[in-house]
Amino acid sequence: SLHAQTWNWKGIPVKRALQFGAGNIGRGFLGQLYYESGYAATFVDVLDDVVRALNERGEYPLRIVDDTPQTLCIRNASALHAGDVEAVAQAICDADLAATAVGVNVLPKVAPTIARGIEKRFADPSARPLNFIVCENLIGAGPFLRETVRGHLAPQFHAVLDEKVGFVEASIGRMVPIMTEKERAEDPLLICVEAYCELPVDKEAFKGPIPELRNLLPKDNFGAYVERKLFVHNLSHATAAYLGYLRGHEYIWQTMEDDRVLAGMRAATAESCDGLARKWGLDKRELEAHAEDLARRYRNRALGDQVRRIAADPVRKLGPNDRLIGAGRMCIEQGIVPEHIAFAAAAAMRYDHPADAAAGRLQSTRAKGGIEAVLQEICKLDSASELARLILEAGARLRHEGWLKQDT
């Protein structure tokens, strides 16, 4: 059996990790941590070719791209197809640690399988607790997944879900660019990532002992770290991408060499850092140092990170609690006028890449009802609110300052 107990060369049982999602974060980040921590990792995915290749080879290459790139071999890897519910449920039964990195929209699709695995595991009352590290771009992802799983569980397992299953939110900072055709042709399992490799998680959410995992950083007051990720990292990245798109840039590193984009990004991020410092009592200088380190990482030419990847799905990224509107609302609640965040949001509303379906929906909404319709339908902002007013003013400034090729 794929999940029978395995032993290393010293005769010590190998710990088992079950990873939902074998994509950028699953293979490109968590897989490295599992391997370097002595886990055998089983990936659950829907892509037949990836599942087959992982099982045939039992390993895959991970390239750290920096000034001095290096390629690691991530071993002890296997895979299951997500459609094989009973096999995945058995893997949940056998796992020492589990995680998801499937995308927010896919969580409801994996919840029934997770529920089946929990029922199978805890049919034995003496079964050990199991923690799922939830690596998704969603504030409240842990409670969301718990309650979604609960909806598929037999009632007699509801208590054990709360007592023995941890849904531990994580803050994912590693950047994984879109692979080039050349890189994909080199090896279908190759994945390229930046060197940054830390995994802050919600310390309070674990059930039982906290797993030993390299670079795992269990944090108290985790809400502050979730918002720091969303309102510093995601906000600064999105600001660079949406302003950079208007300036015609293809890569994120190019946006960092454009003084106008860099100034806009720094100004928006400074507002957000100020708001987070006030809200959570965080050290403002540490937040600003973190923002400057992000700008340094964005300059990594070898990463080849594309503006299009960071700007993708503007409808989600203009959501009421997401990186732009959420940060703007947070600043207003803390008595800060988010003028530059509003400017970034106004730029995002002009994102019209023809290959992005969400951008098409955004532009359709704007064509029919103007920015006011975008504010109301996508951002869920009252047109009379302070943030809506600032975004409307920022739209005029985009035109006045020549950011727009025409009156778009």
Side-chain angles (χ1 to χ4, degrees), residues 243 246 339-350 366 371-372 375 387-404 406-408:
L243 293 179
L246 293 181
E339 176 187 347
H340 299 286
I341 293 173
F343 190 71
M349 291 173 188
R350 271 75 178 179
R366 190 165 71 89
I371 292 297
E372 292 82 356
L375 291 168
L387 186 54
R389 177 183 60 79
L390 288 168
I391 291 170
L392 288 168
E393 290 175 358
R397 191 179 135 204
L398 281 171
R399 285 190 293 273
H400 177 70
E401 294 182 3
W403 289 83
L404 306 178
Q406 62 239 10
D407 188 11
T408 54

PDB file of all heavy atoms in Angstrom, residues 243 246 339-350 366 371-372 375 387-404 406-408:
ATOM      1  N   LEU A 243      -0.251  49.376 -11.389  1.00  0.00           N
ATOM      2  CA  LEU A 243       0.384  50.596 -11.904  1.00  0.00           C
ATOM      3  C   LEU A 243       1.357  50.242 -13.030  1.00  0.00           C
ATOM      4  O   LEU A 243       1.427  50.937 -14.045  1.00  0.00           O
ATOM      5  CB  LEU A 243       1.111  51.336 -10.779  1.00  0.00           C
ATOM      6  CG  LEU A 243       0.241  51.949  -9.671  1.00  0.00           C
ATOM      7  CD1 LEU A 243       1.120  52.618  -8.619  1.00  0.00           C
ATOM      8  CD2 LEU A 243      -0.761  52.960 -10.240  1.00  0.00           C
ATOM      9  N   LEU A 246      -0.366  49.670 -16.398  1.00  0.00           N
ATOM     10  CA  LEU A 246      -0.716  50.922 -17.084  1.00  0.00           C
ATOM     11  C   LEU A 246       0.506  51.551 -17.753  1.00  0.00           C
ATOM     12  O   LEU A 246       0.367  52.275 -18.743  1.00  0.00           O
ATOM     13  CB  LEU A 246      -1.342  51.915 -16.098  1.00  0.00           C
ATOM     14  CG  LEU A 246      -2.717  51.531 -15.539  1.00  0.00           C
ATOM     15  CD1 LEU A 246      -3.228  52.617 -14.588  1.00  0.00           C
ATOM     16  CD2 LEU A 246      -3.734  51.297 -16.658  1.00  0.00           C
ATOM     17  N   GLU A 339      -5.230  57.614   0.526  1.00  0.00           N
ATOM     18  CA  GLU A 339      -5.229  58.257  -0.795  1.00  0.00           C
ATOM     19  C   GLU A 339      -4.491  57.417  -1.835  1.00  0.00           C
ATOM     20  O   GLU A 339      -4.941  57.265  -2.975  1.00  0.00           O
ATOM     21  CB  GLU A 339      -4.584  59.639  -0.659  1.00  0.00           C
ATOM     22  CG  GLU A 339      -4.415  60.401  -1.943  1.00  0.00           C
ATOM     23  CD  GLU A 339      -3.618  61.697  -1.757  1.00  0.00           C
ATOM     24  OE1 GLU A 339      -3.409  62.111  -0.594  1.00  0.00           O
ATOM     25  OE2 GLU A 339      -3.211  62.274  -2.771  1.00  0.00           O
ATOM     26  N   HIS A 340      -3.349  56.864  -1.431  1.00  0.00           N
ATOM     27  CA  HIS A 340      -2.516  56.127  -2.394  1.00  0.00           C
ATOM     28  C   HIS A 340      -3.019  54.704  -2.616  1.00  0.00           C
ATOM     29  O   HIS A 340      -2.861  54.151  -3.709  1.00  0.00           O
ATOM     30  CB  HIS A 340      -1.059  56.148  -1.924  1.00  0.00           C
ATOM     31  CG  HIS A 340      -0.508  57.537  -1.828  1.00  0.00           C
ATOM     32  ND1 HIS A 340      -0.172  58.283  -2.926  1.00  0.00           N
ATOM     33  CD2 HIS A 340      -0.282  58.334  -0.743  1.00  0.00           C
ATOM     34  CE1 HIS A 340       0.270  59.477  -2.538  1.00  0.00           C
ATOM     35  NE2 HIS A 340       0.200  59.536  -1.220  1.00  0.00           N
ATOM     36  N   ILE A 341      -3.635  54.114  -1.584  1.00  0.00           N
ATOM     37  CA  ILE A 341      -4.282  52.814  -1.765  1.00  0.00           C
ATOM     38  C   ILE A 341      -5.451  52.970  -2.739  1.00  0.00           C
ATOM     39  O   ILE A 341      -5.666  52.126  -3.613  1.00  0.00           O
ATOM     40  CB  ILE A 341      -4.743  52.234  -0.415  1.00  0.00           C
ATOM     41  CG1 ILE A 341      -3.526  51.886   0.456  1.00  0.00           C
ATOM     42  CG2 ILE A 341      -5.625  50.998  -0.620  1.00  0.00           C
ATOM     43  CD1 ILE A 341      -3.866  51.473   1.874  1.00  0.00           C
ATOM     44  N   ALA A 342      -6.199  54.055  -2.595  1.00  0.00           N
ATOM     45  CA  ALA A 342      -7.302  54.340  -3.520  1.00  0.00           C
ATOM     46  C   ALA A 342      -6.787  54.498  -4.943  1.00  0.00           C
ATOM     47  O   ALA A 342      -7.443  54.060  -5.906  1.00  0.00           O
ATOM     48  CB  ALA A 342      -8.044  55.598  -3.072  1.00  0.00           C
ATOM     49  N   PHE A 343      -5.614  55.085  -5.099  1.00  0.00           N
ATOM     50  CA  PHE A 343      -5.012  55.265  -6.421  1.00  0.00           C
ATOM     51  C   PHE A 343      -4.697  53.898  -7.042  1.00  0.00           C
ATOM     52  O   PHE A 343      -4.965  53.658  -8.232  1.00  0.00           O
ATOM     53  CB  PHE A 343      -3.740  56.106  -6.298  1.00  0.00           C
ATOM     54  CG  PHE A 343      -3.169  56.567  -7.616  1.00  0.00           C
ATOM     55  CD1 PHE A 343      -3.803  57.540  -8.373  1.00  0.00           C
ATOM     56  CD2 PHE A 343      -1.985  56.035  -8.091  1.00  0.00           C
ATOM     57  CE1 PHE A 343      -3.271  57.966  -9.582  1.00  0.00           C
ATOM     58  CE2 PHE A 343      -1.445  56.457  -9.295  1.00  0.00           C
ATOM     59  CZ  PHE A 343      -2.091  57.426 -10.040  1.00  0.00           C
ATOM     60  N   ALA A 344      -4.166  52.973  -6.205  1.00  0.00           N
ATOM     61  CA  ALA A 344      -3.883  51.616  -6.689  1.00  0.00           C
ATOM     62  C   ALA A 344      -5.175  50.898  -7.075  1.00  0.00           C
ATOM     63  O   ALA A 344      -5.232  50.188  -8.090  1.00  0.00           O
ATOM     64  CB  ALA A 344      -3.140  50.828  -5.610  1.00  0.00           C
ATOM     65  N   ALA A 345      -6.233  51.093  -6.277  1.00  0.00           N
ATOM     66  CA  ALA A 345      -7.523  50.463  -6.589  1.00  0.00           C
ATOM     67  C   ALA A 345      -8.091  51.009  -7.897  1.00  0.00           C
ATOM     68  O   ALA A 345      -8.634  50.253  -8.718  1.00  0.00           O
ATOM     69  CB  ALA A 345      -8.499  50.690  -5.445  1.00  0.00           C
ATOM     70  N   ALA A 346      -7.957  52.309  -8.100  1.00  0.00           N
ATOM     71  CA  ALA A 346      -8.434  52.918  -9.348  1.00  0.00           C
ATOM     72  C   ALA A 346      -7.676  52.352 -10.545  1.00  0.00           C
ATOM     73  O   ALA A 346      -8.256  52.105 -11.609  1.00  0.00           O
ATOM     74  CB  ALA A 346      -8.272  54.438  -9.284  1.00  0.00           C
ATOM     75  N   ALA A 347      -6.369  52.112 -10.368  1.00  0.00           N
ATOM     76  CA  ALA A 347      -5.578  51.490 -11.440  1.00  0.00           C
ATOM     77  C   ALA A 347      -6.045  50.060 -11.693  1.00  0.00           C
ATOM     78  O   ALA A 347      -6.164  49.624 -12.847  1.00  0.00           O
ATOM     79  CB  ALA A 347      -4.096  51.507 -11.073  1.00  0.00           C
ATOM     80  N   ALA A 348      -6.342  49.320 -10.617  1.00  0.00           N
ATOM     81  CA  ALA A 348      -6.815  47.939 -10.763  1.00  0.00           C
ATOM     82  C   ALA A 348      -8.112  47.888 -11.562  1.00  0.00           C
ATOM     83  O   ALA A 348      -8.348  46.939 -12.323  1.00  0.00           O
ATOM     84  CB  ALA A 348      -7.024  47.306  -9.388  1.00  0.00           C
ATOM     85  N   MET A 349      -8.937  48.903 -11.411  1.00  0.00           N
ATOM     86  CA  MET A 349     -10.222  48.939 -12.122  1.00  0.00           C
ATOM     87  C   MET A 349     -10.047  49.151 -13.623  1.00  0.00           C
ATOM     88  O   MET A 349     -10.991  48.984 -14.391  1.00  0.00           O
ATOM     89  CB  MET A 349     -11.121  50.017 -11.520  1.00  0.00           C
ATOM     90  CG  MET A 349     -11.585  49.663 -10.116  1.00  0.00           C
ATOM     91  SD  MET A 349     -12.489  51.005  -9.311  1.00  0.00           S
ATOM     92  CE  MET A 349     -12.641  50.328  -7.646  1.00  0.00           C
ATOM     93  N   ARG A 350      -8.831  49.538 -14.040  1.00  0.00           N
ATOM     94  CA  ARG A 350      -8.528  49.689 -15.475  1.00  0.00           C
ATOM     95  C   ARG A 350      -7.806  48.482 -16.041  1.00  0.00           C
ATOM     96  O   ARG A 350      -7.396  48.491 -17.202  1.00  0.00           O
ATOM     97  CB  ARG A 350      -7.662  50.943 -15.698  1.00  0.00           C
ATOM     98  CG  ARG A 350      -8.458  52.226 -15.923  1.00  0.00           C
ATOM     99  CD  ARG A 350      -9.053  52.766 -14.678  1.00  0.00           C
ATOM    100  NE  ARG A 350      -9.788  54.026 -14.909  1.00  0.00           N
ATOM    101  CZ  ARG A 350     -10.411  54.676 -13.935  1.00  0.00           C
ATOM    102  NH1 ARG A 350     -10.423  54.213 -12.700  1.00  0.00           N
ATOM    103  NH2 ARG A 350     -11.053  55.797 -14.200  1.00  0.00           N
ATOM    104  N   ARG A 366     -17.791  47.937 -15.713  1.00  0.00           N
ATOM    105  CA  ARG A 366     -17.437  49.361 -15.804  1.00  0.00           C
ATOM    106  C   ARG A 366     -18.051  50.006 -17.039  1.00  0.00           C
ATOM    107  O   ARG A 366     -18.509  51.160 -16.991  1.00  0.00           O
ATOM    108  CB  ARG A 366     -15.904  49.510 -15.818  1.00  0.00           C
ATOM    109  CG  ARG A 366     -15.432  50.953 -15.660  1.00  0.00           C
ATOM    110  CD  ARG A 366     -13.957  51.001 -15.314  1.00  0.00           C
ATOM    111  NE  ARG A 366     -13.108  50.637 -16.410  1.00  0.00           N
ATOM    112  CZ  ARG A 366     -12.633  51.503 -17.309  1.00  0.00           C
ATOM    113  NH1 ARG A 366     -12.966  52.788 -17.247  1.00  0.00           N
ATOM    114  NH2 ARG A 366     -11.843  51.103 -18.276  1.00  0.00           N
ATOM    115  N   ILE A 371     -17.413  53.506 -13.010  1.00  0.00           N
ATOM    116  CA  ILE A 371     -16.688  53.106 -11.804  1.00  0.00           C
ATOM    117  C   ILE A 371     -17.655  52.915 -10.636  1.00  0.00           C
ATOM    118  O   ILE A 371     -17.449  52.062  -9.771  1.00  0.00           O
ATOM    119  CB  ILE A 371     -15.605  54.164 -11.450  1.00  0.00           C
ATOM    120  CG1 ILE A 371     -14.501  54.168 -12.519  1.00  0.00           C
ATOM    121  CG2 ILE A 371     -14.996  53.888 -10.084  1.00  0.00           C
ATOM    122  CD1 ILE A 371     -13.728  52.874 -12.643  1.00  0.00           C
ATOM    123  N   GLU A 372     -18.742  53.683 -10.627  1.00  0.00           N
ATOM    124  CA  GLU A 372     -19.725  53.552  -9.546  1.00  0.00           C
ATOM    125  C   GLU A 372     -20.280  52.136  -9.479  1.00  0.00           C
ATOM    126  O   GLU A 372     -20.480  51.586  -8.384  1.00  0.00           O
ATOM    127  CB  GLU A 372     -20.870  54.554  -9.733  1.00  0.00           C
ATOM    128  CG  GLU A 372     -20.481  56.015  -9.545  1.00  0.00           C
ATOM    129  CD  GLU A 372     -19.836  56.647 -10.780  1.00  0.00           C
ATOM    130  OE1 GLU A 372     -19.617  55.919 -11.779  1.00  0.00           O
ATOM    131  OE2 GLU A 372     -19.546  57.861 -10.733  1.00  0.00           O
ATOM    132  N   LEU A 375     -17.636  49.915  -7.931  1.00  0.00           N
ATOM    133  CA  LEU A 375     -17.575  50.154  -6.488  1.00  0.00           C
ATOM    134  C   LEU A 375     -18.699  49.418  -5.763  1.00  0.00           C
ATOM    135  O   LEU A 375     -18.484  48.812  -4.707  1.00  0.00           O
ATOM    136  CB  LEU A 375     -17.645  51.656  -6.194  1.00  0.00           C
ATOM    137  CG  LEU A 375     -16.424  52.477  -6.624  1.00  0.00           C
ATOM    138  CD1 LEU A 375     -16.731  53.966  -6.557  1.00  0.00           C
ATOM    139  CD2 LEU A 375     -15.229  52.144  -5.741  1.00  0.00           C
ATOM    140  N   LEU A 387     -14.046  55.954   1.096  1.00  0.00           N
ATOM    141  CA  LEU A 387     -13.146  55.212   0.210  1.00  0.00           C
ATOM    142  C   LEU A 387     -13.623  55.292  -1.240  1.00  0.00           C
ATOM    143  O   LEU A 387     -12.809  55.468  -2.159  1.00  0.00           O
ATOM    144  CB  LEU A 387     -13.026  53.754   0.665  1.00  0.00           C
ATOM    145  CG  LEU A 387     -12.014  52.899  -0.089  1.00  0.00           C
ATOM    146  CD1 LEU A 387     -10.626  53.534  -0.107  1.00  0.00           C
ATOM    147  CD2 LEU A 387     -11.943  51.489   0.513  1.00  0.00           C
ATOM    148  N   ALA A 388     -14.930  55.204  -1.465  1.00  0.00           N
ATOM    149  CA  ALA A 388     -15.463  55.342  -2.826  1.00  0.00           C
ATOM    150  C   ALA A 388     -15.124  56.717  -3.397  1.00  0.00           C
ATOM    151  O   ALA A 388     -14.713  56.837  -4.561  1.00  0.00           O
ATOM    152  CB  ALA A 388     -16.974  55.129  -2.823  1.00  0.00           C
ATOM    153  N   ARG A 389     -15.277  57.739  -2.568  1.00  0.00           N
ATOM    154  CA  ARG A 389     -14.951  59.103  -3.022  1.00  0.00           C
ATOM    155  C   ARG A 389     -13.469  59.200  -3.399  1.00  0.00           C
ATOM    156  O   ARG A 389     -13.109  59.782  -4.436  1.00  0.00           O
ATOM    157  CB  ARG A 389     -15.281  60.100  -1.906  1.00  0.00           C
ATOM    158  CG  ARG A 389     -14.914  61.552  -2.243  1.00  0.00           C
ATOM    159  CD  ARG A 389     -15.198  62.491  -1.084  1.00  0.00           C
ATOM    160  NE  ARG A 389     -14.455  62.145   0.137  1.00  0.00           N
ATOM    161  CZ  ARG A 389     -13.163  62.454   0.320  1.00  0.00           C
ATOM    162  NH1 ARG A 389     -12.484  63.086  -0.628  1.00  0.00           N
ATOM    163  NH2 ARG A 389     -12.567  62.125   1.445  1.00  0.00           N
ATOM    164  N   LEU A 390     -12.590  58.617  -2.564  1.00  0.00           N
ATOM    165  CA  LEU A 390     -11.153  58.673  -2.845  1.00  0.00           C
ATOM    166  C   LEU A 390     -10.802  57.938  -4.140  1.00  0.00           C
ATOM    167  O   LEU A 390      -9.947  58.383  -4.909  1.00  0.00           O
ATOM    168  CB  LEU A 390     -10.373  58.053  -1.672  1.00  0.00           C
ATOM    169  CG  LEU A 390     -10.326  58.870  -0.380  1.00  0.00           C
ATOM    170  CD1 LEU A 390      -9.785  58.022   0.771  1.00  0.00           C
ATOM    171  CD2 LEU A 390      -9.462  60.123  -0.557  1.00  0.00           C
ATOM    172  N   ILE A 391     -11.480  56.825  -4.401  1.00  0.00           N
ATOM    173  CA  ILE A 391     -11.202  56.056  -5.626  1.00  0.00           C
ATOM    174  C   ILE A 391     -11.678  56.821  -6.855  1.00  0.00           C
ATOM    175  O   ILE A 391     -10.991  56.859  -7.884  1.00  0.00           O
ATOM    176  CB  ILE A 391     -11.848  54.654  -5.535  1.00  0.00           C
ATOM    177  CG1 ILE A 391     -11.130  53.820  -4.473  1.00  0.00           C
ATOM    178  CG2 ILE A 391     -11.796  53.940  -6.891  1.00  0.00           C
ATOM    179  CD1 ILE A 391     -11.821  52.512  -4.123  1.00  0.00           C
ATOM    180  N   LEU A 392     -12.826  57.466  -6.749  1.00  0.00           N
ATOM    181  CA  LEU A 392     -13.314  58.281  -7.874  1.00  0.00           C
ATOM    182  C   LEU A 392     -12.351  59.438  -8.157  1.00  0.00           C
ATOM    183  O   LEU A 392     -12.041  59.744  -9.310  1.00  0.00           O
ATOM    184  CB  LEU A 392     -14.714  58.806  -7.565  1.00  0.00           C
ATOM    185  CG  LEU A 392     -15.832  57.748  -7.611  1.00  0.00           C
ATOM    186  CD1 LEU A 392     -17.115  58.297  -7.005  1.00  0.00           C
ATOM    187  CD2 LEU A 392     -16.073  57.285  -9.048  1.00  0.00           C
ATOM    188  N   GLU A 393     -11.855  60.074  -7.107  1.00  0.00           N
ATOM    189  CA  GLU A 393     -10.875  61.158  -7.281  1.00  0.00           C
ATOM    190  C   GLU A 393      -9.573  60.620  -7.887  1.00  0.00           C
ATOM    191  O   GLU A 393      -8.939  61.278  -8.725  1.00  0.00           O
ATOM    192  CB  GLU A 393     -10.590  61.828  -5.932  1.00  0.00           C
ATOM    193  CG  GLU A 393     -11.758  62.654  -5.397  1.00  0.00           C
ATOM    194  CD  GLU A 393     -11.495  63.198  -4.005  1.00  0.00           C
ATOM    195  OE1 GLU A 393     -10.415  62.896  -3.433  1.00  0.00           O
ATOM    196  OE2 GLU A 393     -12.380  63.913  -3.473  1.00  0.00           O
ATOM    197  N   ALA A 394      -9.187  59.409  -7.462  1.00  0.00           N
ATOM    198  CA  ALA A 394      -7.963  58.803  -7.987  1.00  0.00           C
ATOM    199  C   ALA A 394      -8.098  58.491  -9.470  1.00  0.00           C
ATOM    200  O   ALA A 394      -7.127  58.593 -10.232  1.00  0.00           O
ATOM    201  CB  ALA A 394      -7.634  57.527  -7.207  1.00  0.00           C
ATOM    202  N   GLY A 395      -9.309  58.111  -9.908  1.00  0.00           N
ATOM    203  CA  GLY A 395      -9.541  57.865 -11.324  1.00  0.00           C
ATOM    204  C   GLY A 395      -9.284  59.113 -12.155  1.00  0.00           C
ATOM    205  O   GLY A 395      -8.661  59.051 -13.236  1.00  0.00           O
ATOM    206  N   ALA A 396      -9.736  60.243 -11.646  1.00  0.00           N
ATOM    207  CA  ALA A 396      -9.483  61.514 -12.333  1.00  0.00           C
ATOM    208  C   ALA A 396      -7.987  61.815 -12.361  1.00  0.00           C
ATOM    209  O   ALA A 396      -7.446  62.306 -13.360  1.00  0.00           O
ATOM    210  CB  ALA A 396     -10.254  62.634 -11.647  1.00  0.00           C
ATOM    211  N   ARG A 397      -7.301  61.467 -11.263  1.00  0.00           N
ATOM    212  CA  ARG A 397      -5.860  61.722 -11.189  1.00  0.00           C
ATOM    213  C   ARG A 397      -5.101  60.832 -12.182  1.00  0.00           C
ATOM    214  O   ARG A 397      -4.101  61.268 -12.775  1.00  0.00           O
ATOM    215  CB  ARG A 397      -5.395  61.442  -9.755  1.00  0.00           C
ATOM    216  CG  ARG A 397      -3.980  61.913  -9.466  1.00  0.00           C
ATOM    217  CD  ARG A 397      -3.582  61.624  -8.026  1.00  0.00           C
ATOM    218  NE  ARG A 397      -2.241  61.059  -7.972  1.00  0.00           N
ATOM    219  CZ  ARG A 397      -1.782  60.298  -6.999  1.00  0.00           C
ATOM    220  NH1 ARG A 397      -2.560  59.958  -6.002  1.00  0.00           N
ATOM    221  NH2 ARG A 397      -0.546  59.848  -7.033  1.00  0.00           N
ATOM    222  N   LEU A 398      -5.549  59.595 -12.365  1.00  0.00           N
ATOM    223  CA  LEU A 398      -4.909  58.721 -13.359  1.00  0.00           C
ATOM    224  C   LEU A 398      -4.918  59.368 -14.737  1.00  0.00           C
ATOM    225  O   LEU A 398      -3.916  59.343 -15.465  1.00  0.00           O
ATOM    226  CB  LEU A 398      -5.643  57.370 -13.429  1.00  0.00           C
ATOM    227  CG  LEU A 398      -5.359  56.317 -12.359  1.00  0.00           C
ATOM    228  CD1 LEU A 398      -6.333  55.158 -12.497  1.00  0.00           C
ATOM    229  CD2 LEU A 398      -3.924  55.804 -12.437  1.00  0.00           C
ATOM    230  N   ARG A 399      -6.070  59.963 -15.089  1.00  0.00           N
ATOM    231  CA  ARG A 399      -6.173  60.627 -16.391  1.00  0.00           C
ATOM    232  C   ARG A 399      -5.300  61.884 -16.428  1.00  0.00           C
ATOM    233  O   ARG A 399      -4.545  62.101 -17.375  1.00  0.00           O
ATOM    234  CB  ARG A 399      -7.636  60.994 -16.672  1.00  0.00           C
ATOM    235  CG  ARG A 399      -8.495  59.803 -17.059  1.00  0.00           C
ATOM    236  CD  ARG A 399      -9.872  60.226 -17.558  1.00  0.00           C
ATOM    237  NE  ARG A 399     -10.657  60.814 -16.491  1.00  0.00           N
ATOM    238  CZ  ARG A 399     -11.420  60.111 -15.652  1.00  0.00           C
ATOM    239  NH1 ARG A 399     -11.487  58.803 -15.751  1.00  0.00           N
ATOM    240  NH2 ARG A 399     -12.112  60.727 -14.714  1.00  0.00           N
ATOM    241  N   HIS A 400      -5.400  62.690 -15.370  1.00  0.00           N
ATOM    242  CA  HIS A 400      -4.687  63.975 -15.327  1.00  0.00           C
ATOM    243  C   HIS A 400      -3.170  63.771 -15.389  1.00  0.00           C
ATOM    244  O   HIS A 400      -2.454  64.558 -16.012  1.00  0.00           O
ATOM    245  CB  HIS A 400      -5.082  64.732 -14.056  1.00  0.00           C
ATOM    246  CG  HIS A 400      -4.357  66.029 -13.876  1.00  0.00           C
ATOM    247  ND1 HIS A 400      -4.588  67.127 -14.686  1.00  0.00           N
ATOM    248  CD2 HIS A 400      -3.389  66.394 -12.981  1.00  0.00           C
ATOM    249  CE1 HIS A 400      -3.794  68.117 -14.296  1.00  0.00           C
ATOM    250  NE2 HIS A 400      -3.067  67.705 -13.268  1.00  0.00           N
ATOM    251  N   GLU A 401      -2.677  62.711 -14.727  1.00  0.00           N
ATOM    252  CA  GLU A 401      -1.229  62.500 -14.637  1.00  0.00           C
ATOM    253  C   GLU A 401      -0.685  61.648 -15.798  1.00  0.00           C
ATOM    254  O   GLU A 401       0.501  61.311 -15.818  1.00  0.00           O
ATOM    255  CB  GLU A 401      -0.872  61.842 -13.294  1.00  0.00           C
ATOM    256  CG  GLU A 401      -1.154  62.766 -12.103  1.00  0.00           C
ATOM    257  CD  GLU A 401      -0.741  62.130 -10.780  1.00  0.00           C
ATOM    258  OE1 GLU A 401      -0.181  61.008 -10.800  1.00  0.00           O
ATOM    259  OE2 GLU A 401      -0.973  62.761  -9.743  1.00  0.00           O
ATOM    260  N   GLY A 402      -1.572  61.269 -16.739  1.00  0.00           N
ATOM    261  CA  GLY A 402      -1.103  60.583 -17.937  1.00  0.00           C
ATOM    262  C   GLY A 402      -0.828  59.102 -17.779  1.00  0.00           C
ATOM    263  O   GLY A 402      -0.066  58.523 -18.563  1.00  0.00           O
ATOM    264  N   TRP A 403      -1.456  58.450 -16.794  1.00  0.00           N
ATOM    265  CA  TRP A 403      -1.286  57.011 -16.624  1.00  0.00           C
ATOM    266  C   TRP A 403      -2.078  56.231 -17.681  1.00  0.00           C
ATOM    267  O   TRP A 403      -1.747  55.081 -17.965  1.00  0.00           O
ATOM    268  CB  TRP A 403      -1.749  56.570 -15.231  1.00  0.00           C
ATOM    269  CG  TRP A 403      -0.844  57.006 -14.111  1.00  0.00           C
ATOM    270  CD1 TRP A 403      -0.837  58.223 -13.498  1.00  0.00           C
ATOM    271  CD2 TRP A 403       0.176  56.233 -13.489  1.00  0.00           C
ATOM    272  NE1 TRP A 403       0.137  58.249 -12.525  1.00  0.00           N
ATOM    273  CE2 TRP A 403       0.763  57.034 -12.499  1.00  0.00           C
ATOM    274  CE3 TRP A 403       0.645  54.932 -13.664  1.00  0.00           C
ATOM    275  CZ2 TRP A 403       1.810  56.578 -11.684  1.00  0.00           C
ATOM    276  CZ3 TRP A 403       1.679  54.474 -12.844  1.00  0.00           C
ATOM    277  CH2 TRP A 403       2.260  55.293 -11.869  1.00  0.00           C
ATOM    278  N   LEU A 404      -3.122  56.840 -18.217  1.00  0.00           N
ATOM    279  CA  LEU A 404      -3.992  56.154 -19.162  1.00  0.00           C
ATOM    280  C   LEU A 404      -3.650  56.555 -20.594  1.00  0.00           C
ATOM    281  O   LEU A 404      -3.468  57.746 -20.872  1.00  0.00           O
ATOM    282  CB  LEU A 404      -5.470  56.482 -18.864  1.00  0.00           C
ATOM    283  CG  LEU A 404      -5.921  56.209 -17.415  1.00  0.00           C
ATOM    284  CD1 LEU A 404      -7.366  56.621 -17.229  1.00  0.00           C
ATOM    285  CD2 LEU A 404      -5.742  54.744 -17.036  1.00  0.00           C
ATOM    286  N   GLN A 406      -5.588  56.413 -23.112  1.00  0.00           N
ATOM    287  CA  GLN A 406      -6.719  57.187 -23.566  1.00  0.00           C
ATOM    288  C   GLN A 406      -7.701  57.249 -22.393  1.00  0.00           C
ATOM    289  O   GLN A 406      -7.398  56.739 -21.341  1.00  0.00           O
ATOM    290  CB  GLN A 406      -7.374  56.540 -24.792  1.00  0.00           C
ATOM    291  CG  GLN A 406      -7.936  55.172 -24.526  1.00  0.00           C
ATOM    292  CD  GLN A 406      -7.315  54.128 -25.423  1.00  0.00           C
ATOM    293  OE1 GLN A 406      -6.351  54.389 -26.109  1.00  0.00           O
ATOM    294  NE2 GLN A 406      -7.869  52.939 -25.417  1.00  0.00           N
ATOM    295  N   ASP A 407      -8.828  57.810 -22.608  1.00  0.00           N
ATOM    296  CA  ASP A 407      -9.808  57.916 -21.521  1.00  0.00           C
ATOM    297  C   ASP A 407     -10.495  56.574 -21.357  1.00  0.00           C
ATOM    298  O   ASP A 407     -11.571  56.321 -21.890  1.00  0.00           O
ATOM    299  CB  ASP A 407     -10.847  59.015 -21.847  1.00  0.00           C
ATOM    300  CG  ASP A 407     -11.733  59.265 -20.645  1.00  0.00           C
ATOM    301  OD1 ASP A 407     -11.422  58.761 -19.557  1.00  0.00           O
ATOM    302  OD2 ASP A 407     -12.743  59.987 -20.801  1.00  0.00           O
ATOM    303  N   THR A 408      -9.804  55.670 -20.621  1.00  0.00           N
ATOM    304  CA  THR A 408     -10.330  54.311 -20.444  1.00  0.00           C
ATOM    305  C   THR A 408     -10.923  54.144 -19.054  1.00  0.00           C
ATOM    306  O   THR A 408     -10.587  54.864 -18.143  1.00  0.00           O
ATOM    307  CB  THR A 408      -9.208  53.276 -20.646  1.00  0.00           C
ATOM    308  OG1 THR A 408      -8.108  53.604 -19.778  1.00  0.00           O
ATOM    309  CG2 THR A 408      -8.742  53.264 -22.066  1.00  0.00           C
TER     310      THR A 408
END
